[in-house]
Every structure is written in C-alpha cells, then in structure tokens.
Amino acid sequence: MTPRALIEFYRARLDEEEAAVRDCILSYEPNVGEGDVDEIATRRAVLDAYERAVAQDDERAAGLGLAVQYLASHHGRHADYREEFRPLRR
C-alpha cells in the first residue's frame, strides 16, 4: 500500500462527508449540526498528522497509518476503496 493512495482516498471521502453535512445543516436537517463538522475535522486532523509523519519520515507514521486505515475502512464499500487499505486483522 502506498501512503499517498490511502491519503488521497480518505481525504476525498472526508471532503464528500463534510459537503454532505454542510448541505444538511443549510437545509435544516434534524440531527445534523456543527458537532458533525467537528467530528470530521477531528478525523481530518489524524489524516493530516499521518501525511506530515510520512513526509518527514517520522517514526509515528506507522501508528498513524494504521489509525487512518481503520478510519478509512468505514468506506470499504466505496468503488475506489482498495483492499490494500484494509487494516490487517489478527
């Protein structure tokens, strides 16, 4: 698995989720609010930390990468999801 492919895949999914949440907020959908935007921002922060760690060859890259794999696996049925993104299960 290349880190770049996982980063690009997950960033695109976060962008899609955020756009959908913002649309729901604008149309006053019940049970959707700024807390949902905050939750996406938190997952984006983990992804950003992983991207920086990869770029800097930081020792934290492996652990952050595993976290991102688990987060991205939520989108395992997406057409662009690759089986190589799936975290190893033991």
Side-chain angles (χ1 to χ4, degrees), residues 24-74:
C24 287
I25 290 170
L26 290 174
S27 62
Y28 302 103
E29 291 289 327
N31 303 319
V32 178
E34 288 300 319
D36 297 292
V37 175
D38 294 343
E39 191 267 333
I40 293 167
T42 299
R43 290 187 282 138
R44 193 181 300 278
V46 174
L47 179 61
D48 291 344
Y50 175 53
E51 187 171 30
R52 282 191 306 274
V54 167
Q56 297 169 358
D57 199 24
D58 187 313
E59 63 187 25
R60 295 174 293 177
L64 287 164
L66 183 59
V68 171
Q69 283 180 284
Y70 275 106
L71 291 168
S73 70
H74 174 73

Side-chain angles (χ1 to χ4, degrees), residues 14-26:
L14 290 174
D15 291 347
E16 291 168 356
E17 284 184 50
E18 185 173 2
V21 165
R22 291 194 183 281
D23 286 347
C24 287
I25 290 170
L26 290 174

